[in-house]
Amino acid sequence: MKAVVLAEVGGQLTLEDIPTPQPRAGEVLVQVAACGVCHTDLHVIKGEVKFPLPCVLGHEISGVVAEVPADVKAI
């Protein structure tokens, strides 16, 4: 899958191919249709909020549920 990745504080965002994650127990996989970058993401880029790097920014998403593990009974 394609993702925009931040490798270092203050660095450039790069478009990369990364492995599609597999949902763990209690999780679902969402196919993202749109994603916004918020001020928290900007603070991560500037190093003002500590976050493990490299990372994929953007936690304000919309999309559809693409995969549901057997242990998830309702979404």
Side-chain angles (χ1 to χ4, degrees):
M1 69 182 234
K2 300 272 186 204
V4 175
V5 177
L6 176 67
E8 62 185 11
V9 170
Q12 294 292 315
L13 298 173
T14 57
L15 182 62
E16 300 182 17
D17 285 308
I18 64 171
T20 299
Q22 297 299 309
R24 296 175 289 197
E27 297 180 339
V28 298
L29 180 64
V30 176
Q31 181 178 353
V32 177
C35 179
V37 175
C38 73
H39 277 90
T40 302
D41 297 319
L42 299 176
H43 291 302
V44 171
I45 293 168
K46 294 178 188 178
E48 299 167 348
V49 170
K50 302 297 180 203
F51 201 80
L53 299 174
C55 69
V56 176
L57 297 174
H59 56 267
E60 297 179 352
I61 68 164
S62 66
V64 296
V65 175
E67 188 175 337
V68 180
D71 73 317
V72 176
K73 303 301 180 205
I75 54 174

